[in-house]
Amino acid sequence: MHNYQQRIAIDMDDVMADATGRFVEWIAERHGVVIERHQLRDEVLQTLGVPYAQLRKWLWEDGFFRYMQPMPDSQKVMQELVKKYEVFVVSAAVEFPQSLREKVDWLAEHFPFIDWRYIVLCGHKYMIQADYLIDDHEKNLIHFTGTPIIFTAPHNLHLQGYERVNNWAEIGERFL
Amino acid sequence: MHNYQQRIAIDMDDVMADATGRFVEWIAERHGVVIERHQLRDEVLQTLGVPYAQLRKWLWEDGFFRYMQPMPDSQKVMQELVKKYEVFVVSAAVEFPQSLREKVDWLAEHFPFIDWRYIVLCGHKYMIQADYLIDDHEKNLIHFTGTPIIFTAPHNLHLQGYERVNNWAEIGERFL
């Protein structure tokens, strides 16, 4: 435990891992519908005949989480962040039991410098004590007791009232 | 989130789940050595020719965690605890990637009334914000920011300086 360091909790899906890209990929493969990343919003998906309620089942499928791409610059910036801050990766993964091992394996592959002791697979996140939480979902940010920071994703563009980072380069500028 | 409730974090192995009993079972099955629960301490295991360093490999084997017995009275007391407190199950499971799903499945079988949002699979526990942590390992209790409570196990009998509960009946008396 490094009490002299500030602690940052960082979400996985759509922050470290490109969940949006994974949906776009499977929508193309499985439905033959090619969409842009910004179209991954239910109001658009409905009009394209691939409602999110249907896609959501993929979250319980083997391999969905394991083969996401790391977000651009995430590895490079994270490698610097962990030198300066105490970083916890915090993912609300327990809802998807098959994802748990996939997420740990994914982190070992793409972020091998993150020790297992700093990985948290959970449901709620409000009981995590940290100075910052970087997350794409308001449900996680709203009850967080430190400083919440929203990471831009197609589904949160409308959200106001949070400090916002649009990408990992901006996380680097903010924290490094 | 129920701010009016006190929050209790509760460990799994050797608190909710009988890890000691599981070791005793596998030592008998695999080494033909029958030991008593209180003998599961390295100084005793060494003399019996089954050093803990050897047994510890089982923690990475399929099925080790999945088929533990719930600790006596744990289900009954837990069912009352969750009515009165906000209970989080907090297990340092990420070291054993194959255990993650087994633990979630085990909880679904033996504690079906615990919602997935209240399950935390992690490494360190000191960043969990709670009023109490009930755990059998000093490494988890020592940096906890709430009130630490040690749950008696063969390996922690010597520990002083913590409030102690010896079994789930005592958890019930303490909290209900």
Side-chain angles (χ1 to χ4, degrees), chain B residues 122-140:
Chain B
C122 58
H124 290 308
K125 299 188 183 181
Y126 57 76
M127 73 298 177
I128 302 293
Q129 208 163 27
D131 297 291
Y132 302 94
L133 170 62
I134 304 174
D135 205 292
D136 62 309
H137 283 294
E138 184 172 36
K139 68 179 177 200
N140 296 324

Side-chain angles (χ1 to χ4, degrees), chain B residues 70-80 109-111 113:
Chain B
M71 292 291 265
D73 302 323
S74 59
Q75 293 151 300
K76 190 180 61 179
V77 173
M78 186 68 104
Q79 200 143 18
E80 297 307 310
E109 179 183 348
H110 298 290
F111 295 84
F113 51 87

Side-chain angles (χ1 to χ4, degrees), chain B:
Chain B
M1 181 156 59
H2 306 291
N3 281 322
Y4 57 93
Q5 286 180 313
Q6 285 198 297
R7 188 180 299 155
I8 311 180
I10 305 185
D11 178 42
M12 286 181 76
D13 297 321
D14 274 332
V15 177
M16 295 174 68
D18 187 8
T20 292
R22 190 74 170 136
F23 273 114
V24 168
E25 194 177 301
W26 279 27
I27 290 169
E29 279 175 22
R30 297 180 167 203
H31 293 277
V33 179
V34 177
I35 64 166
E36 299 288 325
R37 300 172 62 83
H38 69 268
Q39 294 182 294
L40 198 81
R41 288 156 43 223
D42 198 41
E43 54 273 34
V44 179
L45 294 170
Q46 296 267 4
T47 68
L48 297 170
V50 284
Y52 182 68
Q54 195 176 319
L55 312 185
R56 190 169 153 74
K57 292 174 189 152
W58 296 345
L59 301 174
W60 283 268
E61 272 196 46
D62 287 343
F64 183 78
F65 291 94
R66 181 64 185 86
Y67 302 106
M68 291 183 186
Q69 294 300 313
M71 292 291 265
D73 302 323
S74 59
Q75 293 151 300
K76 190 180 61 179
V77 173
M78 186 68 104
Q79 200 143 18
E80 297 307 310
L81 272 188
V82 299
K83 291 177 190 165
K84 197 170 162 191
Y85 297 87
E86 187 187 51
V87 175
F88 279 89
V89 174
V90 180
S91 176
V94 176
E95 188 175 10
F96 319 113
Q98 91 296 344
S99 80
L100 296 164
R101 182 178 194 140
E102 294 191 3
K103 281 173 174 269
V104 172
D105 290 346
W106 186 90
L107 286 166
E109 179 183 348
H110 298 290
F111 295 84
F113 51 87
I114 296 179
D115 184 282
W116 67 268
R117 293 169 187 81
Y118 295 89
I119 300 172
V120 184
L121 304 169
C122 58
H124 290 308
K125 299 188 183 181
Y126 57 76
M127 73 298 177
I128 302 293
Q129 208 163 27
D131 297 291
Y132 302 94
L133 170 62
I134 304 174
D135 205 292
D136 62 309
H137 283 294
E138 184 172 36
K139 68 179 177 200
N140 296 324
L141 296 167
I142 198 164
H143 296 299
F144 178 62
T145 55
T147 301
I149 298 179
I150 198 151
F151 190 97
T152 295
H155 53 267
N156 69 33
L157 296 173
H158 63 290
L159 273 182
Q160 302 284 333
Y162 292 98
E163 182 178 345
R164 181 180 286 274
V165 287
N166 291 300
N167 51 55
W168 276 85
E170 290 189 17
I171 293 179
E173 288 160 26
R174 169 71 173 78
F175 286 99
L176 297 173

